[in-house]
Amino acid sequence: MGDLIIDFSNWIWGTPLLVLLMGGGFFMLLYSGFIPFRGLKHAMKVVGGKYDDPNASGDITSLQALSSAIAATVGLGNISGVALAIGTGGPGAIFWMWVSAFVGMATKFFTCTLAIMYRGKDSSGHVQGGPMYVIEEGMGKKWRFLSVIFCVAGIMGLLAIFQANQLTAVIRVVMLQPFDLDWGQPSRWIIGITVMLLVAMVILGGIQRIAKVASRLVPFMVTMYFVCVFIILFKNLGEVPSMLMVILEDAFTGNAVLGGALGQVIIIGARRAAFSNEAGIGTAPMVHGASKTSEPVREGLIAMLGPFIDTIVVCTLTALVILVTGVWKTGERDGVLLTLSAFEQGLPGIGKYLLMAAVLIFALSTMFTYSYYGHKCFNYLFGADKADYYNYFYLITIVAGAVTSLSVVMSFVDGMYAVMAFPTMISAIYLSPKVVASTRDYFERMKIMDKK
């Protein structure tokens, strides 16, 4: 079964999906007039709350939506995902993560603008957003089969199995094994059940509680992680320029790991970027679709900050730590353990404990937000009155993730992400003229408002 999951994931992440994600995103980047660059300053003002409307429809503020989305994206994808990219694709995979991120900013702008533009209502009459509603409301009922495909893949792929797996690995290596307290599989079960109970206390409180916890955890966890990373980089400052050159050189040769298999390096970079920043997958539009705003373009501008913060900033810092400490040459493929080695070497004695704290917070905050995504997919398919049943299924799978091998867990999540990307990208490209027209109108109105 594990081999089948791995084979499916490798098959679906072939050329067609790469063309759809990278090519579709590049089309949106051009069509929007390079909105990630020209709209960045305005997006920062919006995040600052300058344009918040407390009377607008929705459940949470734009800043809470961004915090919740970043809680799901700035997480283990940045710690383990980057390490996996380097371990399997070499340093060059990081360059292709950068390319995917800039393209992904445009993709996220379009998909999250559409999430507000075409909000729908669930069976209880509550306003909802996300690719499934964009497809049904924007493209019409005849395209509803795409919504169903998206939601089925979302229910399966938006589980916290990867986070549970990597958190379990770190706790065992840092806290249990040095004291001969690791009992193998029984330890995995105990950690898995404990994490499940912690997550249950937050997610059973709904999106408001999730957003509240995430908006407090995100700034703290990012700050702590940044401080550790900057200390390690400062200690190895002389190595940074040469490692950046290694990334650029390996990006077009693939020589470091794969003996010149450039296409494979690009695919690995795109896969890990998609897992890290989720641009084009369709998750962020679900949480941004719950924002209290009546301005679709404004929400799109906020959303596009996600891939920049996540991949260009955080992933690059993690990659440099792994490269400057030299641990990437050891051949370690278990993502989080490679990063753990880098922290231990960069900050001897305390590095592994600081990383464990970061992994704990990253993993838990991501688990909180993922539950909301899957809940929305379940709500769409089976109705609001049955949606809460999903939370119990979600909690049980946390334990499953803790006791399963990393390769199977990662391949399963990758495969489901790929399935979700097809409906998301098809709807975004199909409805892109609506976004461009709305963007033009929005910035014209903002010019008039700023003059007053």
Side-chain angles (χ1 to χ4, degrees), residues 10-90:
N10 290 335
W11 169 76
I12 199 166
W13 270 97
T15 306
L17 184 63
L18 202 62
V19 169
L20 187 66
L21 275 177
M22 299 281 274
F26 191 63
F27 160 75
M28 291 181 219
L29 185 66
L30 294 176
Y31 193 24
S32 65
F34 294 92
I35 191 72
F37 303 102
R38 66 186 179 89
L40 198 61
K41 187 179 176 183
H42 185 75
M44 298 303 289
K45 287 181 185 175
V46 176
V47 168
K50 183 176 178 181
Y51 301 99
D52 277 358
D53 178 3
N55 299 315
S57 60
D59 295 326
I60 54 178
T61 67
S62 294
L63 180 58
Q64 285 179 322
L66 182 66
S67 294
S68 297
I70 290 176
T73 56
V74 178
L76 288 186
N78 305 87
I79 295 178
S80 301
V82 173
L84 276 169
I86 294 171
T88 55

Side-chain angles (χ1 to χ4, degrees), residues 232 236 239 320-328 341-343 345-346:
I232 296 171
N236 298 274
E239 292 289 313
L320 286 172
V321 165
I322 291 167
L323 295 173
V324 299
T325 54
V327 298
W328 65 282
S341 299
F343 267 66
Q345 191 153 319

Side-chain angles (χ1 to χ4, degrees), residues 235-251:
K235 285 173 70 178
N236 298 274
L237 207 54
E239 292 289 313
V240 173
S242 60
M243 287 302 111
L244 287 170
M245 287 307 298
V246 167
I247 290 172
L248 294 173
E249 187 182 310
D250 193 52

Side-chain angles (χ1 to χ4, degrees), residues 145-303:
F145 72 94
L146 288 176
S147 297
V148 173
I149 291 170
F150 175 84
C151 288
V152 170
I155 288 169
M156 303 307 294
L158 295 169
L159 299 170
I161 51 178
F162 174 74
Q163 288 73 23
N165 181 284
Q166 296 289 271
L167 181 56
T168 301
V170 169
I171 291 172
R172 288 178 67 200
V173 169
V174 177
M175 300 300 292
L176 302 183
Q177 289 174 7
F179 306 102
D180 292 325
L181 295 173
D182 184 26
W183 307 312
Q185 203 68 357
S187 294
R188 286 177 167 228
W189 280 94
I190 292 165
I191 295 166
I193 291 166
T194 305
V195 171
M196 177 190 76
L197 294 172
L198 281 172
V199 173
M201 286 192 286
V202 174
I203 70 168
L204 298 179
I207 182 58
Q208 281 88 357
R209 189 183 294 176
I210 292 169
K212 197 173 179 182
V213 173
S215 61
R216 288 175 181 172
L217 278 179
V218 169
F220 169 73
M221 72 182 182
V222 171
T223 303
M224 187 181 79
Y225 189 67
F226 273 23
V227 168
C228 294
V229 166
F230 282 129
I231 291 170
I232 296 171
L233 292 180
F234 185 75
K235 285 173 70 178
N236 298 274
L237 207 54
E239 292 289 313
V240 173
S242 60
M243 287 302 111
L244 287 170
M245 287 307 298
V246 167
I247 290 172
L248 294 173
E249 187 182 310
D250 193 52
F252 298 96
T253 61
N255 290 332
V257 171
L258 298 162
L262 177 58
Q264 197 61 25
V265 176
I266 296 171
I267 288 171
I268 288 168
R271 275 174 81 162
R272 297 282 61 82
F275 177 72
S276 180
N277 65 46
E278 299 171 19
I281 306 301
T283 49
M286 286 192 273
V287 73
H288 281 283
S291 291
K292 287 180 180 175
T293 182
S294 53
E295 291 283 4
V297 172
R298 193 173 287 162
E299 197 62 32
L301 289 166
I302 293 169

